[in-house]
Every structure is written in C-alpha cells, then in structure tokens.
Amino acid sequence: MDSTERLPKKLQIDEALQQDVIDQAQAIKRSDALYCERFSLSTGVINIHDIAWGQQGLWAVNSSFSCLSTLDATFGFVARWKPEFISKIAPENRCHLNGMAMKDGAPRFVTTFGKGDSKESWRDGATGTLIDTKSNEILLDKLTLPHSPKYDDGYVYFCDSGYGSVNRYNLQTKNNEVIATLPGFTRAIKVLDDLLIVGTSAIRKSDVKRQLPATDYQLPIDKSIGAENSICGLWILNKATGEQIAHLHFDGEVTQIYDIAVIPYGSPSLIESAQAIASHLFYFSEELAHAL
C-alpha cells in the first residue's frame, strides 16, 4: 500500500475526504487482517436469526416464515425445511424457529419456542423444542425460550434461556444435562476446543410481556435471581464440566447478546462499502483462459 500521505492524492480524492482516507489507511496498516463487504442480498423482513455457511451456500433461520432458508441472488430466499407441525410457508412466525446447529455442512438441529401452527401461537406460553432436522424428531420439548444449538462430538449444546442454563443433550443416550446456570438470559454459544463461550443478556420484563402477552409468565431465571440482578456478559466454561473459567461483564448500554464469533486475529479491521477507501480496495483471482 502507498504511504498514507500519497494515497489520497494518487486516488484524486477530494480534500474533504482525504483525512478520512488517511485515517482508514492507517488503521489498515496497523491490522493483521482486513474484512471487506463483498456483496449484499435483499430478503425482505424475514426476521433472520441464526445464519451459517453450508454446502448449499448461505443458510438462515427464517423465523417469519417458520423455515430454514438458503439465500442467493435469484430469490429473496429459498425455503428448504420446515418443522413437520408447520402446515405451510407463511409470514406468520408460527413457532419462532430461531436456533440452527450445523453438522457436515448442513443444518441438523434447530430450536423453536413452540409447536403451534397458527400465527404467533408460540406467544401463548413457553413450550420450546429441540428438533433433529434429518429425522424430524422432536428430541426435547417443554423447553423455555431455547436458543443457540451447537453440535460437537455426539452432543448438542444449547441454551435453555428462560432458566439461564447451558444444556448438553447426548444423542446416543437421549440424556439432557444442565452443565451450567448463569446469571442472565443465556443466548449464544461458541464451541472452541475444550471450551464453551456463552453469552448472557439482561432480562427485561417488558420484553417477556411483549413476547408472551397471553400469559402472566415469569421466566424461571427472573424468579431465581430477579431481573434487576441479571448480567449481560460473556462466560468461558470448561466444556466437559461446565466450570466457569472466566467472564466479561458489560455495563452501560450493552444489555443484549445474540451470537458469538471468534476471529483468529489480534487486530483486524472492518471496511464497509460506504467508507471512502472501500472503492479503492481490490481482492481478486486471476483465472484467464486463452479463449472462451
């Protein structure tokens, strides 16, 4: 890369933008990785929750239409799978399908908030499920607002969020074990070698009332510790025992965590398409043929 002083002039950028480009170029030079926006897709408001790359491309949990979808440039989305208790694809958020665990390049386990087949029927109470998408078997039900299933070595780890717990489901024995209970609404799991990184969010009673308006339901974690004592943070656990190794507590305006990703770099930079320098960054492959 050119020097930060020469680059704006070489690119013939207006003086008003030159300092922005200099600042962005300096940040890139200090980084050990650079993430750039590559493309975007328009889906409409389908209330995407978990998202992951698989062998068929980009998978997303399409909560509005109660299905798993792939995303591409041809359609807003392609509906690929739905729970057997959902009779049709409709924008009615019938069961609040939200979590998706990948196995062998495809979605294999999902979580829902309910088993109803009418518009937003899951709001009538906490009857969450863990489902095997290959067999369509409901592995567990009567869960409380479950999230974030992750498959690892014969087990499905997931959050029984209303209890503030991290659970481990043994696919062979069918045993569901609580390995940790944390002081918040558990949501987000990352399996990293022998560790689990888990997110907790602060409990907001207004959200519970909005999500479950037909009931006077109180989350079990609210009953046990009180919403005012719930913590937004990250927790590092021993994967085998659930023992807490470390945690990070967020104060201030950060109250909610949905997902966790581990970036294997110490100081990455992120460039969005709206930034001044984005139009002058190129990443390409040369695969020229003698004739077409």
Side-chain angles (χ1 to χ4, degrees):
M1 180 181 288
D2 291 315
S3 70
T4 54
E5 291 77 18
R6 291 177 54 201
L7 184 61
K9 295 178 181 179
K10 184 176 180 180
L11 298 178
Q12 298 181 344
I13 295 175
D14 293 341
E15 289 186 8
L17 293 177
Q18 286 190 15
Q19 188 58 50
D20 285 345
V21 174
I22 289 173
D23 293 342
Q24 292 162 21
Q26 288 175 338
I28 291 172
K29 284 178 174 288
R30 292 192 298 267
S31 303
D32 54 6
L34 176 62
Y35 291 89
C36 299
E37 183 179 332
R38 192 62 65 220
F39 64 90
S40 62
L41 297 169
S42 297
T43 64
V45 181
I46 60 175
N47 198 11
I48 289 177
H49 279 65
D50 284 8
I51 191 166
W53 289 101
Q55 293 177 353
Q56 290 183 277
L58 185 59
W59 285 88
V61 177
N62 183 339
S63 297
S64 290
F65 285 80
S66 307
C67 67
L68 299 182
S69 303
T70 52
L71 308 180
D72 60 36
T74 303
F75 301 97
F77 65 88
V78 179
R80 299 284 185 183
W81 178 90
K82 64 177 179 63
E84 285 195 328
F85 51 77
I86 298 297
S87 59
K88 68 176 182 178
I89 300 298
E92 296 179 341
N93 191 9
R94 296 184 173 192
C95 63
H96 200 67
L97 182 66
N98 63 80
M100 173 179 67
M102 304 294 286
K103 182 178 184 290
D104 300 326
R108 182 59 189 272
F109 304 98
V110 299
T111 50
T112 76
F113 279 9
K115 295 183 290 184
D117 191 32
S118 59
K119 184 176 180 179
E120 297 191 345
S121 59
W122 61 272
R123 297 187 187 276
D124 292 338
T127 56
T129 70
L130 174 68
I131 304 174
D132 184 331
T133 62
K134 188 173 183 179
S135 66
N136 290 307
E137 179 185 0
I138 296 177
L139 303 175
L140 295 170
D141 61 6
K142 299 181 181 178
L143 301 174
T144 305
L145 310 184
H147 285 88
S148 313
K150 295 292 184 292
Y151 172 80
D152 183 67
D153 195 25
Y155 297 93
V156 180
Y157 296 87
F158 68 94
C159 296
D160 199 0
S161 306
Y163 280 90
S165 71
V166 181
N167 291 36
R168 178 170 55 209
Y169 179 77
N170 187 316
L171 292 166
Q172 184 174 2
T173 67
K174 311 298 183 182
N175 181 53
N176 178 34
E177 176 188 8
V178 176
I179 63 171
T181 300
L182 301 173
F185 188 86
T186 45
R187 183 174 53 201
I189 294 178
K190 174 64 179 178
V191 180
L192 185 65
D193 300 327
D194 294 330
L195 304 174
L196 295 178
I197 306 175
V198 181
T200 59
S201 297
I203 301 167
R204 298 179 297 194
K205 291 188 177 182
S206 59
D207 286 351
V208 176
K209 187 62 179 177
R210 175 176 55 81
Q211 291 181 351
L212 304 174
T215 71
D216 292 324
Y217 187 76
Q218 184 181 16
L219 292 178
I221 186 66
D222 185 7
K223 291 181 180 179
S224 63
I225 68 170
E228 66 279 5
N229 297 315
S230 60
I231 292 173
C232 178
L234 297 176
W235 307 78
I236 299 178
L237 309 178
N238 181 303
K239 185 175 70 175
T241 66
E243 177 187 359
Q244 293 182 25
I245 298 172
H247 79 273
L248 177 66
H249 179 188
F250 295 105
D251 289 319
E253 296 184 0
V254 179
T255 62
Q256 303 294 305
I257 294 175
Y258 183 79
D259 204 359
I260 297 169
V262 175
I263 299 175
Y265 301 99
S267 181
S269 282
L270 174 66
I271 298 295
E272 300 178 77
S273 60
Q275 292 180 266
I277 202 171
S279 299
H280 307 284
L281 295 174
F282 305 97
Y283 178 71
F284 64 95
S285 173
E286 187 172 314
E287 302 176 9
L288 301 176
H290 292 293
L292 297 178

